Amino acid sequence: MNATDAIRIALNLSYEWTLALAEDLADAPFTEPTPGGNPPMWIVGHISFSNACLLAMIDGEASKLETWQSLFAGGTQPSTDPTQYPDYGDVLQAFRDVHAQALAILEQTGDAGLDEAPPAIPDFLAKMPELQTKGKVLMFVALHQIAHRGQLADARRVLGRKPMA
C-alpha cells in the first residue's frame, strides 16, 4: 500500500463513521451531549468549516466556507438557537462536499506531492509540525473529523439512541 492509499482509507473511514452519526442526528441537531456541550449543528459545521480551511492551504484558493467563521471556527461559542445557523441539511451537504474536495486534492497531489509544503499556510499555523506537508494536512483532516465523532455519539446517547454498530 502506498501513502496515498493509506490517506484515502483514513479520509473515507473517518468520514463514513462521522457522517452516519451526523445524519442520524438530523432530527435533533441542537442536542447538547453534555450540559453546555457542543451540539451536532456546531460539531458538523465546525468540522466542515475547519477542514475546508485546511484544504485551502493545499489548493491555495479561499475556503468556500469562510463565511461560516463566526459560527464554527475553533473558539466560537456554540448556541442552541437555530436562527443563528444555516439549515442542518446545508451543513451536512457542506460536510459531504468538503470530503469530496479532500479526495480530489489527494488524487491531484498523489504520492509524489505528499511531502511538498502547502503553498498557503496562515501565519498562525505556520509553526505546527503536523501541517508542514500536504500529506500531513490531509491526515489532519481525517483525524480532525474522527476526533469530534465522540461528541456526536454522546448527543445520540442523550437522546436515548442505541450505539451504532
Side-chain angles (χ1 to χ4, degrees), residues 63-114:
S63 165
K64 294 175 179 84
L65 298 179
E66 68 183 30
T67 59
W68 286 3
Q69 182 168 354
S70 64
L71 299 173
F72 299 121
T76 58
Q77 183 61 43
S79 172
T80 55
D81 178 2
T83 65
Q84 293 186 22
Y85 292 100
D87 182 76
Y88 190 68
D90 294 339
V91 174
L92 282 172
Q93 188 57 51
F95 183 68
R96 293 181 191 103
D97 293 345
V98 169
H99 175 67
Q101 180 187 8
L103 292 176
I105 287 172
L106 175 63
E107 295 310 313
Q108 183 179 35
T109 302
D111 271 355
L114 292 175

mmCIF file of all heavy atoms in Angstrom, residues 63-114:
data_model
loop_
_atom_site.group_PDB
_atom_site.id
_atom_site.type_symbol
_atom_site.label_atom_id
_atom_site.label_comp_id
_atom_site.label_asym_id
_atom_site.label_seq_id
_atom_site.Cartn_x
_atom_site.Cartn_y
_atom_site.Cartn_z
ATOM 1 N N SER A 63 -11.287 29.349 1.112
ATOM 2 C CA SER A 63 -12.271 28.352 1.525
ATOM 3 C C SER A 63 -13.663 28.792 1.094
ATOM 4 O O SER A 63 -14.035 29.959 1.255
ATOM 5 C CB SER A 63 -12.235 28.185 3.041
ATOM 6 O OG SER A 63 -13.377 27.500 3.493
ATOM 7 N N LYS A 64 -14.417 27.834 0.574
ATOM 8 C CA LYS A 64 -15.800 28.124 0.196
ATOM 9 C C LYS A 64 -16.688 28.346 1.417
ATOM 10 O O LYS A 64 -17.812 28.802 1.302
ATOM 11 C CB LYS A 64 -16.336 26.987 -0.660
ATOM 12 C CG LYS A 64 -15.638 26.865 -1.996
ATOM 13 C CD LYS A 64 -16.138 25.641 -2.765
ATOM 14 C CE LYS A 64 -15.476 25.521 -4.097
ATOM 15 N NZ LYS A 64 -14.185 24.870 -4.103
ATOM 16 N N LEU A 65 -16.178 28.000 2.596
ATOM 17 C CA LEU A 65 -16.972 28.133 3.819
ATOM 18 C C LEU A 65 -16.462 29.246 4.739
ATOM 19 O O LEU A 65 -16.844 29.308 5.897
ATOM 20 C CB LEU A 65 -16.977 26.795 4.578
ATOM 21 C CG LEU A 65 -17.594 25.616 3.831
ATOM 22 C CD1 LEU A 65 -17.512 24.352 4.689
ATOM 23 C CD2 LEU A 65 -19.025 25.896 3.437
ATOM 24 N N GLU A 66 -15.627 30.130 4.235
ATOM 25 C CA GLU A 66 -15.051 31.153 5.111
ATOM 26 C C GLU A 66 -16.112 32.062 5.732
ATOM 27 O O GLU A 66 -15.895 32.626 6.796
ATOM 28 C CB GLU A 66 -13.951 31.946 4.419
ATOM 29 C CG GLU A 66 -14.367 32.831 3.303
ATOM 30 C CD GLU A 66 -13.172 33.510 2.635
ATOM 31 O OE1 GLU A 66 -12.076 32.949 2.608
ATOM 32 O OE2 GLU A 66 -13.369 34.630 2.153
ATOM 33 N N THR A 67 -17.295 32.160 5.116
ATOM 34 C CA THR A 67 -18.360 32.983 5.698
ATOM 35 C C THR A 67 -18.919 32.368 6.982
ATOM 36 O O THR A 67 -19.645 33.030 7.712
ATOM 37 C CB THR A 67 -19.520 33.201 4.701
ATOM 38 O OG1 THR A 67 -20.050 31.926 4.323
ATOM 39 C CG2 THR A 67 -19.045 33.960 3.469
ATOM 40 N N TRP A 68 -18.570 31.111 7.246
ATOM 41 C CA TRP A 68 -19.031 30.444 8.465
ATOM 42 C C TRP A 68 -18.088 30.659 9.646
ATOM 43 O O TRP A 68 -18.304 30.103 10.720
ATOM 44 C CB TRP A 68 -19.182 28.943 8.217
ATOM 45 C CG TRP A 68 -20.371 28.555 7.389
ATOM 46 C CD1 TRP A 68 -21.282 29.387 6.791
ATOM 47 C CD2 TRP A 68 -20.779 27.227 7.076
ATOM 48 N NE1 TRP A 68 -22.222 28.652 6.125
ATOM 49 C CE2 TRP A 68 -21.943 27.320 6.283
ATOM 50 C CE3 TRP A 68 -20.283 25.971 7.385
ATOM 51 C CZ2 TRP A 68 -22.607 26.202 5.809
ATOM 52 C CZ3 TRP A 68 -20.946 24.854 6.902
ATOM 53 C CH2 TRP A 68 -22.093 24.973 6.125
ATOM 54 N N GLN A 69 -17.055 31.443 9.484
ATOM 55 C CA GLN A 69 -16.049 31.594 10.532
ATOM 56 C C GLN A 69 -16.647 32.014 11.874
ATOM 57 O O GLN A 69 -16.314 31.443 12.909
ATOM 58 C CB GLN A 69 -14.977 32.594 10.117
ATOM 59 C CG GLN A 69 -13.893 32.732 11.166
ATOM 60 C CD GLN A 69 -12.684 33.490 10.683
ATOM 61 O OE1 GLN A 69 -12.576 33.841 9.514
ATOM 62 N NE2 GLN A 69 -11.767 33.732 11.577
ATOM 63 N N SER A 70 -17.540 32.996 11.876
ATOM 64 C CA SER A 70 -18.094 33.481 13.145
ATOM 65 C C SER A 70 -18.993 32.447 13.820
ATOM 66 O O SER A 70 -19.258 32.539 15.021
ATOM 67 C CB SER A 70 -18.863 34.781 12.928
ATOM 68 O OG SER A 70 -19.991 34.551 12.100
ATOM 69 N N LEU A 71 -19.455 31.457 13.069
ATOM 70 C CA LEU A 71 -20.327 30.417 13.621
ATOM 71 C C LEU A 71 -19.556 29.186 14.086
ATOM 72 O O LEU A 71 -19.898 28.588 15.111
ATOM 73 C CB LEU A 71 -21.349 29.971 12.562
ATOM 74 C CG LEU A 71 -22.311 31.018 12.043
ATOM 75 C CD1 LEU A 71 -23.130 30.446 10.900
ATOM 76 C CD2 LEU A 71 -23.207 31.517 13.160
ATOM 77 N N PHE A 72 -18.539 28.782 13.314
ATOM 78 C CA PHE A 72 -17.968 27.454 13.501
ATOM 79 C C PHE A 72 -16.455 27.397 13.715
ATOM 80 O O PHE A 72 -15.898 26.306 13.860
ATOM 81 C CB PHE A 72 -18.315 26.569 12.299
ATOM 82 C CG PHE A 72 -19.798 26.365 12.095
ATOM 83 C CD1 PHE A 72 -20.406 26.748 10.914
ATOM 84 C CD2 PHE A 72 -20.582 25.781 13.079
ATOM 85 C CE1 PHE A 72 -21.764 26.541 10.704
ATOM 86 C CE2 PHE A 72 -21.940 25.570 12.887
ATOM 87 C CZ PHE A 72 -22.535 25.952 11.696
ATOM 88 N N ALA A 73 -15.776 28.516 13.737
ATOM 89 C CA ALA A 73 -14.323 28.476 13.953
ATOM 90 C C ALA A 73 -14.037 27.982 15.365
ATOM 91 O O ALA A 73 -14.867 28.131 16.282
ATOM 92 C CB ALA A 73 -13.718 29.857 13.740
ATOM 93 N N GLY A 74 -12.877 27.385 15.542
ATOM 94 C CA GLY A 74 -12.462 26.976 16.883
ATOM 95 C C GLY A 74 -12.513 28.165 17.820
ATOM 96 O O GLY A 74 -12.122 29.271 17.453
ATOM 97 N N GLY A 75 -13.039 27.947 19.004
ATOM 98 C CA GLY A 75 -13.151 29.018 19.984
ATOM 99 C C GLY A 75 -14.459 29.779 19.933
ATOM 100 O O GLY A 75 -14.732 30.585 20.819
ATOM 101 N N THR A 76 -15.294 29.534 18.908
ATOM 102 C CA THR A 76 -16.597 30.194 18.883
ATOM 103 C C THR A 76 -17.506 29.524 19.907
ATOM 104 O O THR A 76 -17.326 28.362 20.259
ATOM 105 C CB THR A 76 -17.256 30.131 17.485
ATOM 106 O OG1 THR A 76 -17.393 28.770 17.084
ATOM 107 C CG2 THR A 76 -16.441 30.908 16.462
ATOM 108 N N GLN A 77 -18.448 30.267 20.390
ATOM 109 C CA GLN A 77 -19.369 29.760 21.406
ATOM 110 C C GLN A 77 -20.593 29.148 20.736
ATOM 111 O O GLN A 77 -21.384 29.862 20.126
ATOM 112 C CB GLN A 77 -19.798 30.899 22.336
ATOM 113 C CG GLN A 77 -20.692 30.473 23.472
ATOM 114 C CD GLN A 77 -20.026 29.467 24.400
ATOM 115 O OE1 GLN A 77 -18.871 29.606 24.757
ATOM 116 N NE2 GLN A 77 -20.751 28.439 24.777
ATOM 117 N N PRO A 78 -20.754 27.822 20.819
ATOM 118 C CA PRO A 78 -21.928 27.195 20.214
ATOM 119 C C PRO A 78 -23.221 27.684 20.864
ATOM 120 O O PRO A 78 -23.250 28.035 22.043
ATOM 121 C CB PRO A 78 -21.723 25.710 20.500
ATOM 122 C CG PRO A 78 -20.267 25.562 20.734
ATOM 123 C CD PRO A 78 -19.841 26.849 21.388
ATOM 124 N N SER A 79 -24.260 27.696 20.076
ATOM 125 C CA SER A 79 -25.583 28.101 20.543
ATOM 126 C C SER A 79 -26.577 26.996 20.215
ATOM 127 O O SER A 79 -26.369 26.206 19.300
ATOM 128 C CB SER A 79 -25.996 29.396 19.838
ATOM 129 O OG SER A 79 -27.341 29.713 20.120
ATOM 130 N N THR A 80 -27.653 26.957 20.962
ATOM 131 C CA THR A 80 -28.747 26.038 20.638
ATOM 132 C C THR A 80 -29.905 26.794 19.976
ATOM 133 O O THR A 80 -31.001 26.268 19.858
ATOM 134 C CB THR A 80 -29.238 25.289 21.897
ATOM 135 O OG1 THR A 80 -29.602 26.251 22.887
ATOM 136 C CG2 THR A 80 -28.168 24.357 22.423
ATOM 137 N N ASP A 81 -29.644 28.026 19.533
ATOM 138 C CA ASP A 81 -30.645 28.836 18.844
ATOM 139 C C ASP A 81 -30.564 28.571 17.340
ATOM 140 O O ASP A 81 -29.617 29.002 16.680
ATOM 141 C CB ASP A 81 -30.397 30.311 19.133
ATOM 142 C CG ASP A 81 -31.367 31.236 18.424
ATOM 143 O OD1 ASP A 81 -32.283 30.748 17.712
ATOM 144 O OD2 ASP A 81 -31.206 32.462 18.560
ATOM 145 N N PRO A 82 -31.556 27.870 16.775
ATOM 146 C CA PRO A 82 -31.498 27.524 15.358
ATOM 147 C C PRO A 82 -31.450 28.723 14.423
ATOM 148 O O PRO A 82 -30.960 28.612 13.302
ATOM 149 C CB PRO A 82 -32.772 26.711 15.118
ATOM 150 C CG PRO A 82 -33.395 26.476 16.429
ATOM 151 C CD PRO A 82 -32.735 27.350 17.440
ATOM 152 N N THR A 83 -31.946 29.880 14.860
ATOM 153 C CA THR A 83 -31.974 31.051 13.972
ATOM 154 C C THR A 83 -30.569 31.605 13.709
ATOM 155 O O THR A 83 -30.394 32.397 12.792
ATOM 156 C CB THR A 83 -32.854 32.166 14.556
ATOM 157 O OG1 THR A 83 -32.274 32.646 15.777
ATOM 158 C CG2 THR A 83 -34.280 31.673 14.808
ATOM 159 N N GLN A 84 -29.591 31.171 14.477
ATOM 160 C CA GLN A 84 -28.223 31.666 14.296
ATOM 161 C C GLN A 84 -27.436 30.862 13.257
ATOM 162 O O GLN A 84 -26.315 31.233 12.923
ATOM 163 C CB GLN A 84 -27.477 31.633 15.632
ATOM 164 C CG GLN A 84 -28.007 32.606 16.639
ATOM 165 C CD GLN A 84 -27.148 32.647 17.889
ATOM 166 O OE1 GLN A 84 -25.984 32.278 17.880
ATOM 167 N NE2 GLN A 84 -27.732 33.108 18.976
ATOM 168 N N TYR A 85 -27.997 29.771 12.747
ATOM 169 C CA TYR A 85 -27.242 28.844 11.915
ATOM 170 C C TYR A 85 -27.919 28.589 10.572
ATOM 171 O O TYR A 85 -29.136 28.749 10.440
ATOM 172 C CB TYR A 85 -27.092 27.501 12.643
ATOM 173 C CG TYR A 85 -26.211 27.601 13.859
ATOM 174 C CD1 TYR A 85 -26.756 27.704 15.131
ATOM 175 C CD2 TYR A 85 -24.825 27.610 13.732
ATOM 176 C CE1 TYR A 85 -25.947 27.806 16.247
ATOM 177 C CE2 TYR A 85 -24.003 27.709 14.844
ATOM 178 C CZ TYR A 85 -24.570 27.807 16.102
ATOM 179 O OH TYR A 85 -23.764 27.921 17.205
ATOM 180 N N PRO A 86 -27.123 28.101 9.601
ATOM 181 C CA PRO A 86 -27.746 27.626 8.363
ATOM 182 C C PRO A 86 -28.578 26.386 8.649
ATOM 183 O O PRO A 86 -28.503 25.820 9.743
ATOM 184 C CB PRO A 86 -26.546 27.276 7.469
ATOM 185 C CG PRO A 86 -25.313 27.472 8.258
ATOM 186 C CD PRO A 86 -25.683 27.953 9.616
ATOM 187 N N ASP A 87 -29.334 25.954 7.676
ATOM 188 C CA ASP A 87 -30.107 24.728 7.802
ATOM 189 C C ASP A 87 -29.153 23.553 8.013
ATOM 190 O O ASP A 87 -28.098 23.474 7.368
ATOM 191 C CB ASP A 87 -30.936 24.527 6.529
ATOM 192 C CG ASP A 87 -31.793 23.294 6.602
ATOM 193 O OD1 ASP A 87 -32.827 23.332 7.295
ATOM 194 O OD2 ASP A 87 -31.398 22.281 5.987
ATOM 195 N N TYR A 88 -29.514 22.624 8.886
ATOM 196 C CA TYR A 88 -28.651 21.467 9.159
ATOM 197 C C TYR A 88 -28.403 20.644 7.900
ATOM 198 O O TYR A 88 -27.310 20.109 7.708
ATOM 199 C CB TYR A 88 -29.258 20.604 10.272
ATOM 200 C CG TYR A 88 -28.333 19.521 10.782
ATOM 201 C CD1 TYR A 88 -27.186 19.839 11.494
ATOM 202 C CD2 TYR A 88 -28.625 18.181 10.568
ATOM 203 C CE1 TYR A 88 -26.336 18.848 11.978
ATOM 204 C CE2 TYR A 88 -27.781 17.182 11.051
ATOM 205 C CZ TYR A 88 -26.641 17.523 11.758
ATOM 206 O OH TYR A 88 -25.797 16.533 12.233
ATOM 207 N N GLY A 89 -29.381 20.559 7.029
ATOM 208 C CA GLY A 89 -29.193 19.856 5.760
ATOM 209 C C GLY A 89 -28.075 20.485 4.939
ATOM 210 O O GLY A 89 -27.286 19.777 4.286
ATOM 211 N N ASP A 90 -27.981 21.810 4.960
ATOM 212 C CA ASP A 90 -26.905 22.502 4.245
ATOM 213 C C ASP A 90 -25.545 22.235 4.894
ATOM 214 O O ASP A 90 -24.538 22.125 4.205
ATOM 215 C CB ASP A 90 -27.172 24.004 4.197
ATOM 216 C CG ASP A 90 -28.398 24.362 3.367
ATOM 217 O OD1 ASP A 90 -28.821 23.537 2.516
ATOM 218 O OD2 ASP A 90 -28.945 25.462 3.586
ATOM 219 N N VAL A 91 -25.540 22.135 6.215
ATOM 220 C CA VAL A 91 -24.299 21.846 6.925
ATOM 221 C C VAL A 91 -23.840 20.420 6.613
ATOM 222 O O VAL A 91 -22.647 20.178 6.371
ATOM 223 C CB VAL A 91 -24.469 22.090 8.445
ATOM 224 C CG1 VAL A 91 -23.241 21.655 9.224
ATOM 225 C CG2 VAL A 91 -24.773 23.567 8.706
ATOM 226 N N LEU A 92 -24.780 19.485 6.589
ATOM 227 C CA LEU A 92 -24.431 18.110 6.203
ATOM 228 C C LEU A 92 -23.903 18.059 4.767
ATOM 229 O O LEU A 92 -22.937 17.340 4.482
ATOM 230 C CB LEU A 92 -25.651 17.188 6.328
ATOM 231 C CG LEU A 92 -26.024 16.733 7.728
ATOM 232 C CD1 LEU A 92 -27.357 16.001 7.701
ATOM 233 C CD2 LEU A 92 -24.948 15.850 8.328
ATOM 234 N N GLN A 93 -24.524 18.819 3.873
ATOM 235 C CA GLN A 93 -24.047 18.835 2.488
ATOM 236 C C GLN A 93 -22.646 19.434 2.402
ATOM 237 O O GLN A 93 -21.812 18.947 1.636
ATOM 238 C CB GLN A 93 -25.009 19.596 1.575
ATOM 239 C CG GLN A 93 -24.651 19.481 0.108
ATOM 240 C CD GLN A 93 -24.602 18.026 -0.361
ATOM 241 O OE1 GLN A 93 -25.540 17.264 -0.146
ATOM 242 N NE2 GLN A 93 -23.503 17.628 -0.996
ATOM 243 N N ALA A 94 -22.376 20.443 3.185
ATOM 244 C CA ALA A 94 -21.024 21.022 3.211
ATOM 245 C C ALA A 94 -20.017 19.979 3.687
ATOM 246 O O ALA A 94 -18.909 19.877 3.141
ATOM 247 C CB ALA A 94 -20.989 22.250 4.112
ATOM 248 N N PHE A 95 -20.399 19.178 4.686
ATOM 249 C CA PHE A 95 -19.528 18.102 5.168
ATOM 250 C C PHE A 95 -19.223 17.121 4.034
ATOM 251 O O PHE A 95 -18.076 16.727 3.824
ATOM 252 C CB PHE A 95 -20.205 17.399 6.359
ATOM 253 C CG PHE A 95 -19.384 16.320 6.996
ATOM 254 C CD1 PHE A 95 -18.229 16.619 7.693
ATOM 255 C CD2 PHE A 95 -19.776 14.991 6.914
ATOM 256 C CE1 PHE A 95 -17.464 15.613 8.288
ATOM 257 C CE2 PHE A 95 -19.033 13.986 7.507
ATOM 258 C CZ PHE A 95 -17.874 14.298 8.201
ATOM 259 N N ARG A 96 -20.248 16.754 3.278
ATOM 260 C CA ARG A 96 -20.060 15.844 2.139
ATOM 261 C C ARG A 96 -19.150 16.483 1.073
ATOM 262 O O ARG A 96 -18.268 15.829 0.522
ATOM 263 C CB ARG A 96 -21.413 15.485 1.529
ATOM 264 C CG ARG A 96 -22.296 14.648 2.431
ATOM 265 C CD ARG A 96 -23.624 14.315 1.715
ATOM 266 N NE ARG A 96 -24.564 13.760 2.640
ATOM 267 C CZ ARG A 96 -25.598 14.422 3.171
ATOM 268 N NH1 ARG A 96 -25.835 15.686 2.835
ATOM 269 N NH2 ARG A 96 -26.407 13.825 4.031
ATOM 270 N N ASP A 97 -19.404 17.756 0.787
ATOM 271 C CA ASP A 97 -18.633 18.460 -0.243
ATOM 272 C C ASP A 97 -17.158 18.591 0.152
ATOM 273 O O ASP A 97 -16.275 18.437 -0.702
ATOM 274 C CB ASP A 97 -19.217 19.844 -0.507
ATOM 275 C CG ASP A 97 -20.599 19.801 -1.149
ATOM 276 O OD1 ASP A 97 -21.015 18.731 -1.658
ATOM 277 O OD2 ASP A 97 -21.275 20.855 -1.115
ATOM 278 N N VAL A 98 -16.894 18.870 1.405
ATOM 279 C CA VAL A 98 -15.509 19.006 1.868
ATOM 280 C C VAL A 98 -14.799 17.660 1.767
ATOM 281 O O VAL A 98 -13.621 17.595 1.392
ATOM 282 C CB VAL A 98 -15.453 19.589 3.301
ATOM 283 C CG1 VAL A 98 -14.059 19.496 3.899
ATOM 284 C CG2 VAL A 98 -15.925 21.039 3.288
ATOM 285 N N HIS A 99 -15.510 16.584 2.057
ATOM 286 C CA HIS A 99 -14.900 15.253 1.905
ATOM 287 C C HIS A 99 -14.540 14.997 0.447
ATOM 288 O O HIS A 99 -13.429 14.538 0.144
ATOM 289 C CB HIS A 99 -15.846 14.168 2.421
ATOM 290 C CG HIS A 99 -15.327 12.787 2.188
ATOM 291 N ND1 HIS A 99 -14.213 12.304 2.826
ATOM 292 C CD2 HIS A 99 -15.756 11.806 1.358
ATOM 293 C CE1 HIS A 99 -13.976 11.065 2.409
ATOM 294 N NE2 HIS A 99 -14.900 10.738 1.516
ATOM 295 N N ALA A 100 -15.444 15.312 -0.457
ATOM 296 C CA ALA A 100 -15.165 15.122 -1.885
ATOM 297 C C ALA A 100 -13.969 15.979 -2.317
ATOM 298 O O ALA A 100 -13.127 15.531 -3.104
ATOM 299 C CB ALA A 100 -16.404 15.463 -2.717
ATOM 300 N N GLN A 101 -13.892 17.184 -1.783
ATOM 301 C CA GLN A 101 -12.761 18.059 -2.092
ATOM 302 C C GLN A 101 -11.451 17.449 -1.582
ATOM 303 O O GLN A 101 -10.430 17.480 -2.281
ATOM 304 C CB GLN A 101 -12.988 19.436 -1.465
ATOM 305 C CG GLN A 101 -11.865 20.412 -1.738
ATOM 306 C CD GLN A 101 -12.019 21.720 -0.981
ATOM 307 O OE1 GLN A 101 -12.893 21.882 -0.109
ATOM 308 N NE2 GLN A 101 -11.171 22.683 -1.293
ATOM 309 N N ALA A 102 -11.479 16.889 -0.381
ATOM 310 C CA ALA A 102 -10.270 16.264 0.179
ATOM 311 C C ALA A 102 -9.793 15.121 -0.706
ATOM 312 O O ALA A 102 -8.592 14.995 -0.990
ATOM 313 C CB ALA A 102 -10.529 15.780 1.601
ATOM 314 N N LEU A 103 -10.726 14.285 -1.157
ATOM 315 C CA LEU A 103 -10.351 13.171 -2.024
ATOM 316 C C LEU A 103 -9.788 13.661 -3.360
ATOM 317 O O LEU A 103 -8.812 13.099 -3.880
ATOM 318 C CB LEU A 103 -11.542 12.246 -2.250
ATOM 319 C CG LEU A 103 -12.023 11.460 -1.031
ATOM 320 C CD1 LEU A 103 -13.261 10.654 -1.390
ATOM 321 C CD2 LEU A 103 -10.926 10.568 -0.472
ATOM 322 N N ALA A 104 -10.387 14.706 -3.908
ATOM 323 C CA ALA A 104 -9.904 15.256 -5.177
ATOM 324 C C ALA A 104 -8.494 15.835 -5.020
ATOM 325 O O ALA A 104 -7.628 15.624 -5.879
ATOM 326 C CB ALA A 104 -10.874 16.319 -5.693
ATOM 327 N N ILE A 105 -8.264 16.532 -3.926
ATOM 328 C CA ILE A 105 -6.931 17.091 -3.670
ATOM 329 C C ILE A 105 -5.919 15.976 -3.470
ATOM 330 O O ILE A 105 -4.788 16.052 -3.966
ATOM 331 C CB ILE A 105 -6.977 18.054 -2.454
ATOM 332 C CG1 ILE A 105 -7.681 19.344 -2.848
ATOM 333 C CG2 ILE A 105 -5.573 18.335 -1.922
ATOM 334 C CD1 ILE A 105 -7.954 20.295 -1.703
ATOM 335 N N LEU A 106 -6.311 14.924 -2.767
ATOM 336 C CA LEU A 106 -5.409 13.786 -2.575
ATOM 337 C C LEU A 106 -5.019 13.182 -3.921
ATOM 338 O O LEU A 106 -3.838 12.911 -4.169
ATOM 339 C CB LEU A 106 -6.060 12.726 -1.684
ATOM 340 C CG LEU A 106 -5.275 11.434 -1.495
ATOM 341 C CD1 LEU A 106 -3.938 11.700 -0.784
ATOM 342 C CD2 LEU A 106 -6.118 10.425 -0.706
ATOM 343 N N GLU A 107 -5.994 12.960 -4.792
ATOM 344 C CA GLU A 107 -5.708 12.369 -6.100
ATOM 345 C C GLU A 107 -4.801 13.281 -6.919
ATOM 346 O O GLU A 107 -3.875 12.812 -7.578
ATOM 347 C CB GLU A 107 -7.000 12.067 -6.855
ATOM 348 C CG GLU A 107 -7.863 11.010 -6.201
ATOM 349 C CD GLU A 107 -7.109 9.742 -5.824
ATOM 350 O OE1 GLU A 107 -6.339 9.205 -6.643
ATOM 351 O OE2 GLU A 107 -7.284 9.277 -4.679
ATOM 352 N N GLN A 108 -5.080 14.553 -6.865
ATOM 353 C CA GLN A 108 -4.280 15.521 -7.617
ATOM 354 C C GLN A 108 -2.847 15.592 -7.073
ATOM 355 O O GLN A 108 -1.902 15.715 -7.836
ATOM 356 C CB GLN A 108 -4.936 16.898 -7.542
ATOM 357 C CG GLN A 108 -4.241 17.976 -8.343
ATOM 358 C CD GLN A 108 -4.978 19.296 -8.235
ATOM 359 O OE1 GLN A 108 -5.545 19.625 -7.189
ATOM 360 N NE2 GLN A 108 -4.972 20.051 -9.317
ATOM 361 N N THR A 109 -2.697 15.475 -5.775
ATOM 362 C CA THR A 109 -1.386 15.554 -5.132
ATOM 363 C C THR A 109 -0.564 14.302 -5.411
ATOM 364 O O THR A 109 0.619 14.383 -5.746
ATOM 365 C CB THR A 109 -1.548 15.764 -3.611
ATOM 366 O OG1 THR A 109 -2.296 16.966 -3.392
ATOM 367 C CG2 THR A 109 -0.209 15.860 -2.911
ATOM 368 N N GLY A 110 -1.197 13.142 -5.258
ATOM 369 C CA GLY A 110 -0.505 11.876 -5.480
ATOM 370 C C GLY A 110 0.649 11.671 -4.509
ATOM 371 O O GLY A 110 1.013 12.569 -3.745
ATOM 372 N N ASP A 111 1.219 10.472 -4.539
ATOM 373 C CA ASP A 111 2.328 10.151 -3.642
ATOM 374 C C ASP A 111 3.481 11.139 -3.789
ATOM 375 O O ASP A 111 4.087 11.535 -2.794
ATOM 376 C CB ASP A 111 2.836 8.732 -3.897
ATOM 377 C CG ASP A 111 2.122 7.681 -3.079
ATOM 378 O OD1 ASP A 111 1.284 8.045 -2.224
ATOM 379 O OD2 ASP A 111 2.403 6.495 -3.281
ATOM 380 N N ALA A 112 3.770 11.524 -5.008
ATOM 381 C CA ALA A 112 4.930 12.389 -5.259
ATOM 382 C C ALA A 112 4.790 13.757 -4.607
ATOM 383 O O ALA A 112 5.793 14.385 -4.276
ATOM 384 C CB ALA A 112 5.141 12.543 -6.762
ATOM 385 N N GLY A 113 3.563 14.223 -4.403
ATOM 386 C CA GLY A 113 3.374 15.564 -3.845
ATOM 387 C C GLY A 113 3.092 15.615 -2.363
ATOM 388 O O GLY A 113 2.980 16.706 -1.783
ATOM 389 N N LEU A 114 2.970 14.475 -1.699
ATOM 390 C CA LEU A 114 2.581 14.473 -0.285
ATOM 391 C C LEU A 114 3.603 15.130 0.631
ATOM 392 O O LEU A 114 3.238 15.660 1.685
ATOM 393 C CB LEU A 114 2.296 13.043 0.186
ATOM 394 C CG LEU A 114 1.056 12.385 -0.417
ATOM 395 C CD1 LEU A 114 0.951 10.934 0.047
ATOM 396 C CD2 LEU A 114 -0.206 13.160 -0.088
#
